[in-house]
């Protein structure tokens, strides 16, 4: 599973799975196992803001830390996403 960065943000790795590249750009947040079970999931918008689709076991503080990190680094993260997906940013509400 491709990680966006080799280090943790707020105690979680940020990654995506190769089978989920059929969706718009998004970020999973998981501690050690890098599995979708219990992980948070964020859809990323064109402006770097994100929508929490699944909070998993993340608390409010962790969600805020991760969303702030995504906002500040979404362009770099999108470059990684584009290596495996032709899909763009989240266009919904």
């Amino acid at each position: 599973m491709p990680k966006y960065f080799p280090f943790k943000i707020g105690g979680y790795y940020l990654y995506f799975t190769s089978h989920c590249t059929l969706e718009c750009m998004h970020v999973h947040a998981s501690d050690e196992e890098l599995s979708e079970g219990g992980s948070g999931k964020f859809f990323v918008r064109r402006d770097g803001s994100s929508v929490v689709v699944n909070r998993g076991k993340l608390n409010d503080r962790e969600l805020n830390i991760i969303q702030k990190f995504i906002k500040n680094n979404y362009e770099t993260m999108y470059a990684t996403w584009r290596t495996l997906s032709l899909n763009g940013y989240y266009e919904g509400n």
Side-chain angles (χ1 to χ4, degrees):
M1 289 179 219
K3 292 180 192 171
Y4 287 105
F5 299 98
F7 48 85
K8 291 182 178 182
I9 305 304
Y12 296 88
Y13 287 111
L14 305 182
Y15 69 97
F16 60 98
T17 61
S18 57
H19 75 270
C20 68
T21 56
L22 300 174
E23 296 178 314
C24 61
M25 186 201 171
H26 62 278
V27 177
H28 289 282
S30 183
D31 47 14
E32 294 296 328
E33 297 190 26
L34 299 185
S35 66
E36 291 186 48
S39 71
K41 183 176 180 180
F42 307 79
F43 282 143
V44 182
R45 293 184 175 124
R46 188 170 307 281
D47 66 356
S49 63
S50 57
V51 175
V52 178
V53 180
N54 182 1
R55 73 181 297 132
K57 59 183 180 178
L58 283 74
N59 62 39
D60 289 342
R61 182 181 165 279
E62 294 164 333
L63 287 171
N64 289 331
I65 289 169
I66 291 168
Q67 285 187 291
K68 182 184 256 186
F69 184 86
I70 291 170
K71 177 76 172 173
N72 292 331
N73 295 281
Y74 75 99
E75 291 172 325
T76 301
M77 296 170 79
Y78 187 67
T80 301
W81 172 263
R82 293 293 290 177
T83 63
L84 294 174
S85 178
L86 298 176
N87 293 314
Y89 293 105
Y90 178 66
E91 300 292 336
N93 296 327

